[in-house]
PDB file of all heavy atoms in Angstrom:
ATOM      1  N   ILE F 177     -18.430 -10.854   9.455  1.00  0.00           N
ATOM      2  CA  ILE F 177     -19.086  -9.759   8.898  1.00  0.00           C
ATOM      3  C   ILE F 177     -18.542  -9.410   7.529  1.00  0.00           C
ATOM      4  O   ILE F 177     -19.285  -9.169   6.561  1.00  0.00           O
ATOM      5  CB  ILE F 177     -19.107  -8.543   9.784  1.00  0.00           C
ATOM      6  CG1 ILE F 177     -19.747  -8.860  11.112  1.00  0.00           C
ATOM      7  CG2 ILE F 177     -19.694  -7.296   9.160  1.00  0.00           C
ATOM      8  CD1 ILE F 177     -19.581  -7.728  12.152  1.00  0.00           C
ATOM      9  N   ALA F 178     -17.308  -9.518   7.367  1.00  0.00           N
ATOM     10  CA  ALA F 178     -16.681  -9.177   6.116  1.00  0.00           C
ATOM     11  C   ALA F 178     -16.685 -10.331   5.045  1.00  0.00           C
ATOM     12  O   ALA F 178     -16.611 -10.140   3.939  1.00  0.00           O
ATOM     13  CB  ALA F 178     -15.268  -8.785   6.309  1.00  0.00           C
ATOM     14  N   LEU F 179     -16.820 -11.578   5.631  1.00  0.00           N
ATOM     15  CA  LEU F 179     -16.626 -12.733   4.683  1.00  0.00           C
ATOM     16  C   LEU F 179     -17.946 -13.051   3.961  1.00  0.00           C
ATOM     17  O   LEU F 179     -17.829 -13.647   2.815  1.00  0.00           O
ATOM     18  CB  LEU F 179     -16.268 -13.980   5.501  1.00  0.00           C
ATOM     19  CG  LEU F 179     -14.869 -13.883   6.121  1.00  0.00           C
ATOM     20  CD1 LEU F 179     -14.588 -15.142   7.018  1.00  0.00           C
ATOM     21  CD2 LEU F 179     -13.733 -13.782   5.035  1.00  0.00           C
ATOM     22  N   SER F 180     -19.065 -12.714   4.411  1.00  0.00           N
ATOM     23  CA  SER F 180     -20.272 -12.984   3.723  1.00  0.00           C
ATOM     24  C   SER F 180     -21.217 -11.770   3.807  1.00  0.00           C
ATOM     25  O   SER F 180     -21.186 -11.007   4.663  1.00  0.00           O
ATOM     26  CB  SER F 180     -20.968 -14.248   4.271  1.00  0.00           C
ATOM     27  OG  SER F 180     -21.610 -13.963   5.445  1.00  0.00           O
ATOM     28  N   ASN F 181     -22.155 -11.690   2.832  1.00  0.00           N
ATOM     29  CA  ASN F 181     -23.096 -10.593   2.813  1.00  0.00           C
ATOM     30  C   ASN F 181     -24.046 -10.640   4.003  1.00  0.00           C
ATOM     31  O   ASN F 181     -24.575  -9.611   4.424  1.00  0.00           O
ATOM     32  CB  ASN F 181     -23.944 -10.668   1.483  1.00  0.00           C
ATOM     33  CG  ASN F 181     -23.134 -10.172   0.397  1.00  0.00           C
ATOM     34  OD1 ASN F 181     -22.090  -9.479   0.523  1.00  0.00           O
ATOM     35  ND2 ASN F 181     -23.515 -10.483  -0.879  1.00  0.00           N
ATOM     36  N   ASP F 182     -24.316 -11.826   4.548  1.00  0.00           N
ATOM     37  CA  ASP F 182     -25.245 -11.906   5.686  1.00  0.00           C
ATOM     38  C   ASP F 182     -24.572 -12.189   7.007  1.00  0.00           C
ATOM     39  O   ASP F 182     -25.178 -12.486   7.982  1.00  0.00           O
ATOM     40  CB  ASP F 182     -26.179 -13.094   5.474  1.00  0.00           C
ATOM     41  CG  ASP F 182     -27.155 -12.729   4.298  1.00  0.00           C
ATOM     42  OD1 ASP F 182     -27.388 -11.540   3.986  1.00  0.00           O
ATOM     43  OD2 ASP F 182     -27.781 -13.658   3.714  1.00  0.00           O
ATOM     44  N   GLY F 183     -23.265 -12.126   7.070  1.00  0.00           N
ATOM     45  CA  GLY F 183     -22.437 -12.401   8.233  1.00  0.00           C
ATOM     46  C   GLY F 183     -22.794 -11.472   9.441  1.00  0.00           C
ATOM     47  O   GLY F 183     -22.791 -11.884  10.590  1.00  0.00           O
ATOM     48  N   TRP F 184     -23.345 -10.288   9.114  1.00  0.00           N
ATOM     49  CA  TRP F 184     -23.718  -9.377  10.160  1.00  0.00           C
ATOM     50  C   TRP F 184     -24.919  -9.790  11.004  1.00  0.00           C
ATOM     51  O   TRP F 184     -25.100  -9.409  12.128  1.00  0.00           O
ATOM     52  CB  TRP F 184     -23.953  -7.928   9.514  1.00  0.00           C
ATOM     53  CG  TRP F 184     -25.002  -8.040   8.450  1.00  0.00           C
ATOM     54  CD1 TRP F 184     -24.698  -8.281   7.187  1.00  0.00           C
ATOM     55  CD2 TRP F 184     -26.431  -7.856   8.505  1.00  0.00           C
ATOM     56  NE1 TRP F 184     -25.849  -8.277   6.394  1.00  0.00           N
ATOM     57  CE2 TRP F 184     -26.911  -8.073   7.262  1.00  0.00           C
ATOM     58  CE3 TRP F 184     -27.206  -7.714   9.617  1.00  0.00           C
ATOM     59  CZ2 TRP F 184     -28.279  -8.022   6.979  1.00  0.00           C
ATOM     60  CZ3 TRP F 184     -28.626  -7.662   9.318  1.00  0.00           C
ATOM     61  CH2 TRP F 184     -29.107  -7.770   8.069  1.00  0.00           C
ATOM     62  N   ARG F 185     -25.753 -10.641  10.419  1.00  0.00           N
ATOM     63  CA  ARG F 185     -27.051 -11.065  10.999  1.00  0.00           C
ATOM     64  C   ARG F 185     -26.765 -11.761  12.384  1.00  0.00           C
ATOM     65  O   ARG F 185     -27.638 -11.552  13.312  1.00  0.00           O
ATOM     66  CB  ARG F 185     -27.837 -11.937  10.146  1.00  0.00           C
ATOM     67  CG  ARG F 185     -28.353 -11.273   8.873  1.00  0.00           C
ATOM     68  CD  ARG F 185     -29.224 -12.302   8.070  1.00  0.00           C
ATOM     69  NE  ARG F 185     -29.538 -11.746   6.799  1.00  0.00           N
ATOM     70  CZ  ARG F 185     -30.635 -10.969   6.620  1.00  0.00           C
ATOM     71  NH1 ARG F 185     -31.441 -10.767   7.640  1.00  0.00           N
ATOM     72  NH2 ARG F 185     -30.964 -10.442   5.421  1.00  0.00           N
ATOM     73  N   GLN F 186     -25.755 -12.461  12.515  1.00  0.00           N
ATOM     74  CA  GLN F 186     -25.550 -13.203  13.758  1.00  0.00           C
ATOM     75  C   GLN F 186     -25.101 -12.388  14.899  1.00  0.00           C
ATOM     76  O   GLN F 186     -24.975 -12.838  16.057  1.00  0.00           O
ATOM     77  CB  GLN F 186     -24.526 -14.369  13.477  1.00  0.00           C
ATOM     78  CG  GLN F 186     -23.192 -13.959  13.068  1.00  0.00           C
ATOM     79  CD  GLN F 186     -22.321 -15.097  12.678  1.00  0.00           C
ATOM     80  OE1 GLN F 186     -22.384 -16.147  13.435  1.00  0.00           O
ATOM     81  NE2 GLN F 186     -21.536 -14.965  11.638  1.00  0.00           N
ATOM     82  N   TYR F 187     -24.853 -11.130  14.733  1.00  0.00           N
ATOM     83  CA  TYR F 187     -24.363 -10.176  15.790  1.00  0.00           C
ATOM     84  C   TYR F 187     -25.370  -9.214  16.256  1.00  0.00           C
ATOM     85  O   TYR F 187     -25.060  -8.149  16.732  1.00  0.00           O
ATOM     86  CB  TYR F 187     -23.061  -9.511  15.354  1.00  0.00           C
ATOM     87  CG  TYR F 187     -22.066 -10.504  14.973  1.00  0.00           C
ATOM     88  CD1 TYR F 187     -21.623 -10.712  13.654  1.00  0.00           C
ATOM     89  CD2 TYR F 187     -21.536 -11.372  15.965  1.00  0.00           C
ATOM     90  CE1 TYR F 187     -20.692 -11.627  13.390  1.00  0.00           C
ATOM     91  CE2 TYR F 187     -20.489 -12.294  15.634  1.00  0.00           C
ATOM     92  CZ  TYR F 187     -20.115 -12.463  14.353  1.00  0.00           C
ATOM     93  OH  TYR F 187     -19.171 -13.384  14.008  1.00  0.00           O
ATOM     94  N   GLY F 188     -26.658  -9.514  16.022  1.00  0.00           N
ATOM     95  CA  GLY F 188     -27.724  -8.574  16.474  1.00  0.00           C
ATOM     96  C   GLY F 188     -29.047  -9.152  16.107  1.00  0.00           C
ATOM     97  O   GLY F 188     -29.247 -10.260  15.787  1.00  0.00           O
ATOM     98  N   LYS F 189     -30.073  -8.299  16.255  1.00  0.00           N
ATOM     99  CA  LYS F 189     -31.451  -8.692  15.886  1.00  0.00           C
ATOM    100  C   LYS F 189     -32.251  -7.418  15.532  1.00  0.00           C
ATOM    101  O   LYS F 189     -31.858  -6.319  15.874  1.00  0.00           O
ATOM    102  CB  LYS F 189     -32.069  -9.442  16.985  1.00  0.00           C
ATOM    103  CG  LYS F 189     -32.296  -8.714  18.310  1.00  0.00           C
ATOM    104  CD  LYS F 189     -32.917  -9.527  19.331  1.00  0.00           C
ATOM    105  CE  LYS F 189     -33.121  -8.715  20.641  1.00  0.00           C
ATOM    106  NZ  LYS F 189     -33.779  -9.529  21.701  1.00  0.00           N
TER     107      LYS F 189
END
Side-chain angles (χ1 to χ4, degrees):
I177 296 171
L179 293 177
S180 75
N181 286 340
D182 292 339
W184 54 271
R185 291 183 188 273
Q186 61 186 321
Y187 302 111
K189 63 181 182 179

